[in-house]
Amino acid sequence: MLLESSVAHPVGVEEAARLAHDLYGLDVTTKSLPGEYDDNFHLIAADGAQFVLKVMHPARERAFIDLQCQALQHLAKHSESVVLPRVVPTQRGGLQTEITAADGTNRLVWLLTFVPGTVLANVGPHSEELLRSLGRLLGAIDTGLQNFSHPAAQRKLKWDLSAAGWIKEHINEIVDSSRRLLVEKFLTFYDSEIVPALGRFRRSIIYGDANDYNVLVSDPWPLPRKAVSLIDFGDMHYGITVSEVAIAAAYTAFGKKDVLRAAASVVAGYHELFPLQEVEIAALYTLIGMRLAVSVTNSAHRKTIKSGDAYVTVSEAPAWEALERLAKIHPRFAHYTFRQACGFSLVPQHEKMQRWLEKNGREAASLFDADLRTAPSLVLDLSVGSEFLGADPRDSETPVLTTKISALMEEVNISIAIGRYDEARLLYSSPLFGTDASPLEKRRTIHLGMDLFAEPGAAIHAPLDGVIHTLANNTAHLDYGPLVILQHDANDAGAFFTLYGHLDKESLARLKIGQRIARGEKFARMGTCEENGGWPPHLHFQIILDLLDLDANFPGVAYASQRAVWTNLSPDPNLLLGVPENRFPKPEPALQETLAARREVLGKNLSISYEKPLKVVRGWMQHLYDEAGRAYLDFYNNVPLVGHSHPRVVQAVQKQIALLNTNSRYLHDVVNRYAHRLTQHLPEALRVCFFVNSGSEANELALRLARTHTGREDIIVLEHAYHGNTSTLIDISPYKFDGPGGSGRKPWVHVASLPDDYRGKYRRDDPQAGTKYAQHVDEILDAMCKQQGHAPAAYMTETLPSVGGQIVFPPNYLEEVYARVRAAGGLCIADEVQVGFGRLGTDFWGFETQNVIPDIVVLGKPIGNGFPLAAVITTPEIARSFDNGMEFFSTFGGNPVACAAGLAVLKVVEEENLQDRALRVGNYLKQSLLSLQKRYPIIGDVRGSGLFLGVDLVLDPATRSPATAQAAYVVNRLRECGILTGTDGPFNNVLKLRPPLIISERDADIFTEALRSALAEDSAQPL
């Protein structure tokens, strides 16, 4: 019987159980496992031990099984740290045995221990560390197999990449002609690059089949997940060793947008334990493509033999997709990327060319009439964090940017301004630089040349002798416009190119391909913005070591994730320009340098968000930007109420600080105007304002007011409350004094139950929940007044507790509590630091949702949109009590600049109808989250109002036990997807959503889809 032929009567589970008993003395339960040719079974013995029984196809040779058995035993001795299936001998001691199956065929049977794990195909996501661990696993196995030999390994195998040319005979079985061409493309690479080099590759026995159904991955927790083992050693063979990692890389490309990055992760891990040689690295791209080509051709061929067999075509669709994506990558770019993964110099000729440029660049002619080495020039900062550009993207549009650059050049009296090399920028807004599908999609931001800003028409000179290689006019918006590429001879360093972009059209008309241009010769002129691609007039100058066959489409801007490769391909143009180094500002510290400096100079208990810290250098409206220009949707920070860097707030601050900033001992009208406008949003009784600089300072002052007015000290707060970082506020914040480093509750602090109607004692379905929670305050008052002889100074609470877990009080709770506290002679303080100013949508203040009027209101965080400002607002009566002879003074509280910021915030909220927007978008977002809850039981509760929402993650909807680890995982995964959130609540399991009020329904959709994706991942599931 041929191996390709199907067995008429496959072995069933009952027969497999009998074989396990008769051959191995095992009483087991049996489940069938998939297999292309053989019958495989998962066995579970009475004592819990697990095994895999393999009943081989009748055409299988004994030597083939012996190869696998001997290899596994060899690895058990020589790679002990690698967890692999172990061969279990029969009761007679044999590693395999022959049986006659029920259908009369002779079959070889052997038994392996079962290795637990999840196959890679069913694991999500495939993190970089997971893929690296797969590479390390294969590297360890191949290291262990180096001194292993077996005659059966010298076999003819369709998966052997040293003999992959067999697919030529079956290409016509691929129905789609475009797909046939794709396979033919890689066959051409294979014949020209791999076949001639076969004698130079190392050879050994390899596992040979690390596909996504043969790789076992560890459980979702603990993180990070790792590849732990392999199953199915049926494709072991003697072949070119590097094909081991190529095969794995091919399969890990399945379903990936960035197939090269995935492959490079596997290669990097493999190289750690089995160092690759340069000739092997050079072969990887083609070998990966050929494995995919073999896979899809095999599927096409097998369908002609065994049509409809799902096992045959299980990998066909993802293999085609991966092959199509791989084909779009230039082979040499992939080669350079793999060299980077293995720690080699990225572009082989880079170091030699760098030395040549350093030596000969000193003699290069100036590109302009003026010598850039000596002529006055100004280096511009066009980076993501540029103060010159600011945060408003409108200031980077061509008309404004042109005016700004020209004005600056005129101010310092220079004729040439310089844009830096290897600078991350947000200037590249055209679809050429990234998809507009989402503002969070990664875009090309890294500038690969140097910009030379001068008057249109300025003459351009060749720095070195060269030949015109490319002439083109790239007319798309923000493309190069007219451009020239010169080719230069660097002697034994090889050839290289220089690119000149944003020229005038007439330059192209005067030139032709192949024309020689002498060093110093004028050959082009700089174009106007009408002809140069729509940019401020400037020359883009770039050195290129390898055009990658892109010619006029060679990028001048790269993705940050590929920065190292592209900057190796395009070294620093200043090697030829010679602009004095002292004119360039010192580079900003890299993230790790910033982190190290922070740890050195700042307190260690100043926390940093996320497992991978984020360095933020720009904020605009609902987005923050890191140093590489990646955008993050801010769903976390409620301080920028009207959006990061809102222009009206920025302008108000700029104008006022340019005029006056002093303290409140002097008269000025801004503070009066602000106090009047602010109190117009508050009940009539609340009319007296005290301005300070932070929510903590404001809450501290509120306590002073209450204690002075009542002559008492005791304060009632809620469980898990947090009111600020001063000593007194730590004393009244259970979140702090009951937490790590806390010293416990002070006698004058009284803690009431948190009215959590989802997880608390009284639930949402109880119409009396508010009254019952209020009765807990009654009990505190009774104990305080009757047993201790004290009365409260105040009851203080956030009107919707944030740190407590985005809690919405049950109806009537505050109304009843306020009545009881006041009856006992205490005051009621509403901490509105988190939720005020229309965030709730339904109401401007949180206390309005409970139909109460506090005695003192505390405002902070969003009040100044990030400018230091806070307020305490109270009644005239309480203010008079506080005016007891002791002066109240805050040096910067109520200063004109802070009040200008606060006034601008109020105007924006009112005039842009942001409260209504918060209600509309918040309701839309909440409904989307409730829809997610129906699909993902880990969402136990969705609560809140407007754009103050909480998503309570639980391990079990019935018990409501908190999913703390999963919440942390989701927050970090959202950060990787470009969305910033955090957690709150006593168990840190509540996702807190408090975005700027200017977000849109589109932003809500982006967030919801990212959350859906994260919740679907393995590590987000309940343990």
Side-chain angles (χ1 to χ4, degrees):
M1 178 183 285
L2 296 174
L3 184 60
E4 301 288 338
S5 304
S6 299
V7 177
H9 301 287
V11 171
V13 292
E14 291 183 0
E15 188 174 359
R18 180 182 60 77
L19 289 171
H21 179 272
D22 293 348
L23 299 176
Y24 298 96
L26 295 172
D27 293 320
V28 296
T29 58
T30 310
K31 184 175 74 173
S32 181
L33 295 173
E36 185 176 7
Y37 302 114
D38 309 313
D39 298 324
N40 304 307
F41 303 92
H42 180 197
L43 312 181
I44 302 178
D47 62 358
Q50 300 182 65
F51 306 91
V52 174
L53 182 72
K54 301 180 75 68
V55 182
M56 310 308 289
H57 188 281
R60 295 290 193 189
E61 298 178 2
R62 183 178 291 273
F64 166 70
I65 311 303
D66 188 62
L67 164 64
Q68 298 176 65
C69 292
Q70 296 299 334
L72 285 170
Q73 289 198 317
H74 178 86
L75 288 170
K77 294 178 181 178
H78 294 87
S79 298
E80 295 181 13
S81 61
V82 179
V83 178
L84 292 171
R86 303 304 186 209
V87 182
V88 180
T90 66
Q91 293 185 91
R92 294 184 177 183
L95 298 182
Q96 57 177 299
T97 190
E98 185 173 338
I99 60 103
T100 300
D103 64 353
T105 59
N106 293 328
R107 312 284 289 273
L108 293 171
V109 177
W110 55 307
L111 186 70
L112 296 167
T113 57
F114 178 84
V115 179
T118 305
V119 295
L120 184 64
N122 296 334
V123 167
H126 292 178
S127 68
E128 182 176 338
E129 173 54 33
L130 173 57
L131 298 182
R132 286 180 76 103
S133 75
L134 170 57
R136 287 193 292 267
L137 174 63
L138 294 170
I141 289 173
D142 285 353
T143 299
L145 289 173
Q146 283 303 289
N147 58 353
F148 175 70
S149 62
H150 194 286
Q154 304 280 352
R155 54 193 290 225
K156 184 177 180 180
L157 182 70
K158 63 183 176 182
W159 303 114
D160 180 359
L161 287 181
S162 66
W166 69 268
I167 66 173
K168 293 176 186 177
E169 300 173 9
H170 300 281
I171 284 182
N172 288 334
E173 294 170 355
I174 299 171
V175 176
D176 188 304
S177 60
S178 63
R179 286 183 163 180
R180 281 200 304 275
L181 288 173
L182 196 59
V183 172
E184 287 172 353
K185 174 181 178 176
F186 280 94
L187 261 172
T188 300
F189 289 156
Y190 181 78
D191 285 340
S192 62
E193 298 173 16
I194 303 301
V195 174
L198 284 174
R200 292 188 288 147
F201 297 138
R202 291 178 292 179
R203 289 176 175 265
S204 62
I205 294 178
I206 60 172
Y207 166 72
D209 195 19
N211 72 60
D212 51 344
Y213 284 93
N214 283 347
V215 177
L216 294 180
V217 177
S218 61
D219 290 339
W221 294 94
L223 293 172
R225 301 185 80 176
K226 295 182 179 180
V228 293
S229 192
L230 301 171
I231 57 175
D232 189 355
F233 282 67
D235 286 337
M236 291 192 78
H237 65 281
Y238 183 79
I240 50 177
T241 310
V242 67
S243 62
E244 183 83 277
V245 66
I247 292 165
Y251 285 101
T252 55
F254 284 11
K256 310 294 193 306
K257 289 183 179 180
D258 192 342
V259 296
L260 185 58
R261 188 169 186 175
S265 296
V266 180
V267 170
Y270 186 83
H271 184 75
E272 287 180 32
L273 294 185
F274 193 91
L276 291 166
Q277 298 173 352
E278 291 191 65
V279 66
E280 295 169 327
I281 296 171
L284 278 170
Y285 174 83
T286 299
L287 289 174
I288 293 169
M290 273 306 287
R291 175 60 184 221
L292 293 169
V294 168
S295 179
V296 296
T297 305
N298 180 65
S299 293
H301 174 61
R302 291 284 291 156
K303 280 190 286 187
T304 66
I305 299 172
K306 200 174 181 182
S307 178
D309 186 344
Y311 186 90
V312 170
T313 58
V314 65
S315 298
E316 186 178 18
W320 276 119
E321 181 186 33
L323 192 62
E324 288 162 1
R325 290 185 186 275
L326 188 69
K328 294 176 182 177
I329 300 167
H330 195 283
R332 290 197 299 278
F333 187 84
H335 177 208
Y336 304 148
T337 302
F338 292 139
R339 288 179 65 89
Q340 178 190 20
C342 297
F344 288 95
S345 59
L346 280 64
V347 180
Q349 67 269 36
H350 179 270
E351 292 179 4
K352 185 180 288 188
M353 188 65 72
Q354 181 88 5
R355 290 192 296 270
W356 190 93
L357 290 168
E358 288 171 353
K359 178 181 178 181
N360 294 277
R362 303 184 188 97
E363 305 302 321
S366 176
L367 267 64
F368 286 177
D369 291 339
D371 189 346
L372 293 171
R373 294 176 176 84
T374 57
S377 60
L378 174 69
V379 176
L380 302 174
D381 180 0
L382 303 177
S383 68
V384 181
S386 168
E387 294 177 4
F388 172 67
L389 294 178
D392 191 338
R394 293 172 297 186
D395 290 338
S396 296
E397 293 175 357
T398 295
V400 177
L401 184 56
T402 302
T403 300
K404 289 180 70 169
I405 292 174
S406 298
L408 183 59
M409 292 171 67
E410 183 177 346
E411 179 185 338
V412 298
N413 193 29
I414 53 100
S415 59
I416 300 172
I418 296 170
R420 292 180 291 183
Y421 164 74
D422 194 22
E423 181 177 64
R425 300 174 172 179
L426 288 178
L427 300 176
Y428 309 110
S429 56
S430 156
L432 292 171
F433 302 96
T435 175
D436 289 331
S438 164
L440 305 187
E441 288 288 330
K442 294 180 182 178
R443 301 180 65 82
R444 292 191 285 136
T445 60
I446 307 302
H447 190 232
L448 297 176
M450 283 180 68
D451 294 326
L452 302 169
F453 294 87
E455 288 296 319
I460 309 300
H461 303 251
L464 301 165
D465 291 341
V467 176
I468 294 179
H469 180 276
T470 301
L471 296 172
N473 187 5
N474 294 5
T475 58
H477 182 56
L478 299 186
D479 207 328
Y480 287 122
L483 74 99
V484 173
I485 298 177
L486 300 181
Q487 182 172 346
H488 308 277
D489 181 12
N491 301 325
D492 63 337
F496 71 99
F497 306 85
T498 52
L499 182 151
Y500 308 81
H502 313 306
L503 305 175
D504 69 355
K505 293 179 182 177
E506 292 183 7
S507 297
L508 301 183
R510 296 189 294 266
L511 301 170
K512 61 182 180 180
I513 302 295
Q515 179 179 339
R516 292 190 174 277
I517 304 295
R519 173 188 175 279
E521 180 181 344
K522 295 180 183 179
F523 70 95
R525 292 188 180 275
M526 196 151 57
T528 64
C529 63
E530 289 76 21
E531 63 185 337
N532 74 355
W535 291 98
H538 75 285
L539 172 70
H540 173 89
F541 176 64
Q542 185 171 341
I543 299 173
I544 303 169
L545 304 190
D546 181 351
L547 278 169
L548 301 174
D549 303 318
L550 294 170
D551 295 335
N553 293 316
F554 193 92
V557 183
Y559 288 103
S561 61
Q562 299 173 340
R563 188 176 201 159
V565 177
W566 286 112
T567 52
N568 262 253
L569 282 167
S570 286
D572 188 351
N574 208 37
L575 292 166
L576 293 179
L577 297 180
V579 178
E581 289 298 325
N582 59 12
R583 296 185 187 176
F584 292 88
K586 183 180 179 181
E588 289 295 314
L591 185 148
Q592 290 303 321
E593 293 174 304
T594 299
L595 181 60
R598 174 185 170 119
R599 287 171 173 165
E600 182 178 340
V601 299
L602 300 183
K604 298 294 191 294
N605 57 348
L606 185 63
S607 65
I608 302 175
S609 296
Y610 310 113
E611 291 176 359
K612 297 177 182 177
L614 186 64
K615 183 175 180 178
V616 174
V617 299
R618 180 190 286 203
W620 175 251
M621 304 310 280
Q622 63 267 53
H623 294 109
L624 291 171
Y625 298 85
D626 68 15
E627 75 279 18
R630 185 182 183 187
Y632 292 84
L633 179 60
D634 188 356
F635 256 58
Y636 185 15
N637 297 291
N638 58 342
V639 173
L641 182 80
V642 299
H644 294 279
S645 306
H646 193 290
R648 292 179 65 181
V649 180
V650 171
Q651 291 163 13
V653 170
Q654 288 173 334
K655 288 179 179 179
Q656 184 59 55
I657 203 166
L659 177 66
L660 171 71
N661 194 25
T662 187
N663 63 62
S664 58
R665 284 199 172 107
Y666 303 99
L667 297 178
H668 57 85
D669 291 318
V670 180
V671 66
N672 294 338
R673 287 198 298 270
Y674 179 52
H676 176 75
R677 189 150 189 163
L678 181 59
T679 54
Q680 293 305 302
H681 287 277
L682 287 155
E684 188 65 33
L686 298 169
R687 282 295 177 268
V688 182
C689 299
F690 297 87
F691 293 113
V692 288
N693 307 289
S694 71
S696 290
E697 194 178 344
N699 272 328
E700 182 84 23
L701 177 58
L703 291 183
R704 284 184 61 194
L705 287 168
R707 285 170 166 172
T708 302
H709 182 72
T710 62
R712 305 182 188 121
E713 182 183 31
D714 290 57
I715 305 294
I716 302 173
V717 293
L718 292 179
E719 292 173 318
H720 211 68
Y722 175 66
H723 295 289
N725 61 23
T726 68
S727 293
T728 302
L729 296 179
I730 294 296
D731 286 342
I732 69 163
S733 298
Y735 169 69
K736 291 296 184 182
F737 70 64
D738 278 340
S743 56
R745 183 178 64 85
K746 297 290 191 292
W748 49 270
V749 177
H750 308 272
V751 180
S753 297
L754 179 66
D756 179 353
D757 64 0
Y758 173 70
R759 186 173 278 103
K761 185 175 182 180
Y762 312 113
R763 301 292 174 86
R764 202 165 294 163
D765 57 357
D766 184 350
Q768 298 302 311
T771 299
K772 292 176 180 178
Y773 279 116
Q775 288 171 353
H776 288 208
V777 178
D778 253 347
E779 294 167 5
I780 290 172
L781 290 169
D782 182 66
M784 187 190 307
C785 299
K786 294 182 180 178
Q787 298 175 24
Q788 301 172 16
H790 295 175
Y795 168 84
M796 175 183 273
T797 183
E798 293 181 274
T799 49
L800 282 83
S802 178
V803 173
Q806 315 298 97
I807 300 299
V808 179
F809 290 146
N812 305 318
Y813 171 72
L814 279 187
E815 191 172 4
E816 297 207 23
V817 168
Y818 275 25
R820 288 163 166 78
V821 170
R822 284 169 173 158
L827 299 183
C828 297
I829 302 173
D831 183 343
E832 292 277 347
V833 167
Q834 300 278 7
V835 298
F837 296 94
R839 173 168 294 281
L840 300 174
T842 56
D843 299 278
F844 205 78
W845 309 110
F847 62 78
E848 293 175 318
T849 65
Q850 289 275 309
N851 299 311
V852 295
I853 299 175
D855 300 300
I856 302 171
V857 174
V858 178
L859 310 176
K861 286 189 183 292
I863 188 172
N865 209 56
F867 199 92
L869 175 64
V872 177
I873 305 171
T874 190
T875 65
E877 178 188 1
I878 294 171
R880 283 193 295 270
S881 297
F882 192 57
D883 184 15
N884 61 359
M886 179 186 292
E887 178 192 21
F888 169 74
F889 177 66
S890 172
T891 302
F892 299 107
N895 70 73
V897 178
C899 290
L903 193 57
V905 170
L906 278 180
K907 289 178 180 179
V908 171
V909 170
E910 295 165 1
E911 295 169 15
E912 296 185 11
N913 300 312
L914 293 189
Q915 182 180 342
D916 291 342
R917 187 183 187 93
L919 180 61
R920 186 190 79 242
V921 178
N923 284 342
Y924 178 85
L925 174 59
K926 190 174 183 179
Q927 287 305 310
S928 298
L929 295 172
L930 289 170
S931 296
L932 277 188
Q933 184 182 24
K934 295 175 182 177
R935 297 173 59 187
Y936 298 98
I938 193 171
I939 300 180
D941 191 32
V942 177
R943 54 180 175 262
S945 178
L947 291 175
F948 180 82
L949 299 173
V951 181
D952 199 317
L953 301 186
V954 298
L955 298 176
D956 182 348
T959 64
R960 306 185 183 187
S961 52
T964 301
Q966 289 77 4
Y969 175 82
V970 167
V971 163
N972 280 286
R973 284 293 290 140
L974 288 173
R975 174 248 188 268
E976 291 178 22
C977 295
I979 296 176
L980 305 182
T981 57
T983 58
D984 257 336
F987 309 102
N988 284 309
N989 69 303
V990 181
L991 305 183
K992 53 181 174 183
L993 312 181
R994 308 174 309 191
L997 303 192
I998 45 84
I999 70 161
S1000 65
E1001 284 86 353
R1002 184 190 184 198
D1003 294 318
D1005 287 340
I1006 290 170
F1007 171 79
T1008 305
E1009 174 55 26
L1011 179 59
R1012 183 210 60 76
S1013 179
L1015 291 176
E1017 293 175 359
D1018 302 338
S1019 295
Q1021 307 311 308
L1023 298 176

